[in-house]
Amino acid sequence: MITLGAADDRIPEVDRIRFEEVMAHYPTGVAVVTSRDALGRPIGAVTPVLAVLSTVPPLIGIQLDPAGPDYLRLTDNDRFCVNIIASGNSAASQVFRTENSDDLDSIDWVPSVSGSPIISGSSGWIDCRVNEIHDTGNRKLLVCRVLEVETNARGLPLLFFRGGRGGFDPRVSILPSLPGLTRQIELVERGIAAMEIAADEAGVEVIAMARHGNSMSIIASAAPRGAEATTLVGRRFPFVPPYGTLFLAGSDEQTRNAWFDELAEPPSDDERNEMLARVSRADERGWSVALSGPAHSAVDRMIEAYTRGPVTSMLDRRLRSGIASLGSFYDPPDEELLEAASVRMFCVPVPDRGSEPLVQLAVHSLAHNITVSDLPALRAILTHASAQMITT
C-alpha cells in the first residue's frame, strides 16, 4: 500500500465541477445494480463505476452513493445483479435516469438464480455476491465475486458521455493489440479507413483476418455507413484445411505440411492432393472463395464455443473435423463456381514483405446475400482496399 506523505497534503484542491466536466469526456457504460431489499422487494440503482478488478478469481468493483435514499435498502442483501443497459432499451434508460431511481414496476425483468432482477433487453448481466465494502471519498466501493454472467451478442451498450447518454457507434471494431498479432493489428489500425470505404462501396461488412501460428482470428470489421458490424471481433479458430488458403501463398512444403498436421485425422493422399489443388487455385487467382452450404452453421456454433472457452480436447477435435468437412466448398474449379447458387465468403490477401500475407480482407454472406455475379466487383473493391492499406 502507498501512503501519502506530508508534502502531498499541500496539493491544492481540484475544483469539483471542473473535475466532473473533464471526467465526462471519458465514456462509460450505463450499468444498473439490482437486488432485493429486506422485505424481498426488487430494487435498483445506477452505478457510476463498473470495473473488472480480477479475472482469477472473477471480481468486479461497483460504486454506490451512500447518501442515496435507497443505499441501505440495496445493501440489505449481499447478492446483486449488474445489468449493462442496451442503447435501445429506452424504458430502462428512463426509469434509471438518476442514481436514486429504484422503480422496476414499469419494466420487464426476470429473477437471476440469486433472485436479483435481470432487466430484459440488457446487453449483458453479471450476477454477483458482495465480498467487501470500502469507503472511497463520497462513494462506497463494493468488491463483488462474480457468480454467473451472460451477454446478448447483438446488443449495443448505452453510454454516458459529456453529461448525456447515447449509443456506441458500431460501424468499426478493432481487436486490442495481442502478443503475436501486433503487426497485423497495427496494419489494420493504419488502414481501417480503407476498410470503411470498401464496406460503403460493397454495401456489405468487410472483415480482416490474421494468422498467428496454428490459429486464425478476426481482428477487425467495418460495416457500411448507417449499418452495424455483425461479426464478433476476436473470434478465433484453428488454422486447419481448408481455412486460410491465402496465408499459404508462396509458402514452402514445410509450412504446408504443418497446415495438414493440424487436421484431426491425417488426410489420405487423394485428400491431400485435392486440397493442395485448391490452394494452388486460390494462389493463381489471387483470391479465395467459399460457397454456401448448410454444413457451415454447425461449424459456426463450434467456433463460438471455441472462442468463449474453455477449449476441451473433445471440442478442439470436433471443430477441426468440422472445418475439414467443408473442404469441397472452398476454392472450387471455375465450372463449379459458375454453377453455385450463392457465396459464403470471398477473401483477398493484404501483401507483406514476407513470404505470406499479414492479413486477408473478406466479405461474407451472414448478413447480406452474395452471388457469383457479385465477385468481380467485390474483387476490385477489396483489392483496392488492400493496396491502400499497405501504402498508408
Side-chain angles (χ1 to χ4, degrees):
M1 173 180 278
I2 298 175
T3 303
L4 297 179
D8 298 291
D9 296 335
R10 297 193 297 270
I11 295 175
E13 284 282 333
V14 174
D15 181 76
R16 180 183 63 83
I17 294 177
R18 181 58 177 159
F19 175 60
E20 291 176 351
E21 287 176 351
V22 171
M23 293 308 298
H25 285 72
Y26 180 68
T28 58
V30 178
V32 173
V33 179
T34 58
S35 186
R36 291 181 181 272
D37 64 16
L39 298 178
R41 297 171 299 188
I43 187 171
V46 170
T47 173
V49 173
L50 169 62
V52 177
L53 303 180
S54 168
T55 56
V56 182
L59 298 174
I60 61 170
I62 57 178
Q63 279 194 332
L64 295 174
D65 182 2
D70 298 308
Y71 172 77
L72 293 178
R73 287 179 61 204
L74 264 172
T75 52
D76 277 340
N77 195 338
D78 68 349
R79 299 297 177 95
F80 291 92
C81 185
V82 181
N83 296 264
I84 302 169
I85 303 301
S87 60
N89 197 346
S90 58
S93 172
Q94 288 300 314
V95 167
F96 297 102
R97 60 189 178 275
T98 72
E99 292 180 28
N100 296 327
S101 300
D102 68 345
D103 181 15
L104 275 76
D105 292 337
S106 60
I107 58 176
D108 293 331
W109 59 272
V110 295
S112 68
V113 173
S114 65
S116 300
I118 298 172
I119 298 173
S120 300
S122 294
S123 290
W125 54 266
I126 308 162
D127 209 28
C128 55
R129 181 188 67 236
V130 179
N131 279 5
E132 304 170 11
I133 299 179
H134 300 275
D135 288 321
T136 54
N138 63 346
R139 306 284 185 184
K140 293 282 189 179
L141 174 64
L142 283 65
V143 178
C144 305
R145 174 65 182 261
V146 176
L147 304 175
E148 189 177 4
V149 295
E150 192 53 80
T151 183
N152 172 9
R154 299 297 183 195
L156 293 170
L158 184 67
L159 299 179
F160 282 126
F161 181 61
R162 293 192 299 194
R165 296 187 184 193
F168 170 71
D169 181 0
R171 187 183 180 203
V172 171
S173 182
I174 303 175
L175 191 69
S177 184
L178 292 173
L181 289 173
T182 301
R183 290 177 61 210
Q184 294 93 323
I185 292 172
E186 287 177 350
L187 171 64
V188 166
E189 288 176 337
R190 293 195 306 269
I192 193 64
M195 290 180 60
E196 291 181 72
I197 293 171
D200 286 338
E201 293 177 348
V204 63
E205 182 180 11
V206 175
I207 64 175
M209 293 185 285
R211 175 198 166 197
H212 174 226
N214 60 0
S215 67
M216 291 176 60
S217 299
I218 297 174
I219 62 172
S221 66
R225 194 174 304 278
E228 295 181 3
T230 58
T231 302
L232 293 181
V233 168
R235 182 170 291 186
R236 62 187 182 91
F237 36 88
F239 178 53
V240 57
Y243 281 8
T245 52
L246 291 176
F247 288 119
L248 295 173
S251 62
D252 55 23
E253 184 176 0
Q254 182 179 359
T255 301
R256 297 189 180 199
N257 286 340
W259 189 49
F260 284 108
D261 288 343
E262 294 299 319
L263 289 166
E265 297 287 345
S268 66
D269 289 343
D270 288 344
E271 291 170 334
R272 183 187 181 89
N273 291 335
E274 174 62 25
M275 196 64 244
L276 286 175
R278 294 177 187 272
V279 172
S280 297
R281 200 173 293 128
D283 197 6
E284 292 168 4
R285 288 169 171 168
W287 46 267
S288 178
V289 63
L291 305 181
S292 297
H296 290 286
S297 297
V299 175
D300 286 343
R301 289 192 293 271
M302 284 189 282
I303 288 175
E304 290 179 6
Y306 187 91
T307 301
R308 288 196 308 268
V311 178
T312 64
S313 58
M314 179 179 294
L315 173 60
D316 182 72
R317 186 178 183 82
R318 287 180 57 210
L319 177 55
R320 291 172 190 272
S321 297
I323 294 173
S325 72
L326 303 176
S328 62
F329 294 100
Y330 279 75
D331 302 302
D334 290 344
E335 57 272 20
E336 290 183 25
L337 180 58
L338 292 173
E339 294 175 358
S342 61
V343 170
R344 160 78 175 192
M345 182 172 287
F346 181 77
C347 312
V348 304
V350 180
D352 182 47
R353 295 182 297 272
S355 60
E356 70 174 46
L358 267 183
V359 170
Q360 64 182 32
L361 297 182
V363 294
H364 58 71
S365 62
L366 298 184
H368 184 90
N369 187 48
I370 300 173
T371 64
V372 174
S373 62
D374 296 322
L375 297 189
L378 289 174
R379 178 188 179 187
I381 291 169
L382 293 185
T383 301
H384 180 71
S386 170
Q388 292 293 102
M389 290 177 71
I390 60 176
T391 57
T392 300

